[in-house]
């Protein structure tokens, strides 16, 4: 299997392309660590305006993921060219999706999400 490319010329194609990427990545992610693709798609749509943002187009970053590591390829915000941080650049847009899923599964900002996902997995009770 080969990682799908995220290519699009309109909003619908963006959604389909991100969806294919998540489906591909889910083949390598344990079931209990998967993030529903509609959450990932919604995040990418909101963060990039359906892939139209500068960070998406120039850096393949669909989520505005930042880095403070000067050795990591990055784009600086136009209004903050001397910022201590940059927005990470990825080889592919699907690589940014993979990093976002990793971030959701590890970063402290998403602990409540992970706790709720674990509770639903354990009880089998999903919200209505």
């Amino acid at each position: 299997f080969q990682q799908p490319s995220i290519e699009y010329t309109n909003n619908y194609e963006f959604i389909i392309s991100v969806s294919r990427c998540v489906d591909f990545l889910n083949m390598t992610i344990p079931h209990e660590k998967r993030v529903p693709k509609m959450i990932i798609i919604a995040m990418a749509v909101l963060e990039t305006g359906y892939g139209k943002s500068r960070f998406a187009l120039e850096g393949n970053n669909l989520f505005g993921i930042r880095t403070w590591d000067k050795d990591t390829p990055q784009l600086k915000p136009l209004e903050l060219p001397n910022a201590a941080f940059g927005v990470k650049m990825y080889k592919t847009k699907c690589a940014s999706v993979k990093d976002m899923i990793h971030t959701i599964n590890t970063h402290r900002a998403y602990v409540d999400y992970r706790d709720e996902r674990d509770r639903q997995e354990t009880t089998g009770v999903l919200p209505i």
Side-chain angles (χ1 to χ4, degrees), residues 2 22 38 47 57-58 72-73 104 122 128:
Q2 187 174 352
V22 175
M38 295 313 285
E47 189 66 38
L57 296 172
E58 295 178 24
T72 298
I104 291 170
T122 301
I128 297 175

Side-chain angles (χ1 to χ4, degrees), residues 31-86:
H31 178 75
E32 67 276 2
K33 299 288 185 186
R34 293 178 184 168
V35 177
K37 69 178 165 183
M38 295 313 285
I39 290 175
I40 297 295
I41 292 167
M43 291 173 77
V45 165
L46 289 171
E47 189 66 38
T48 68
Y50 291 92
K52 296 176 184 100
S53 74
R54 175 176 159 250
F55 297 135
L57 296 172
E58 295 178 24
N60 291 322
N61 189 326
L62 300 182
F63 305 96
I65 298 171
R66 295 180 180 187
T67 183
W68 284 260
D69 180 356
K70 294 179 192 240
D71 295 328
T72 298
Q74 58 185 265
L75 292 168
K76 298 291 186 184
L78 292 175
E79 65 279 2
L80 295 171
N82 298 317
F85 69 91

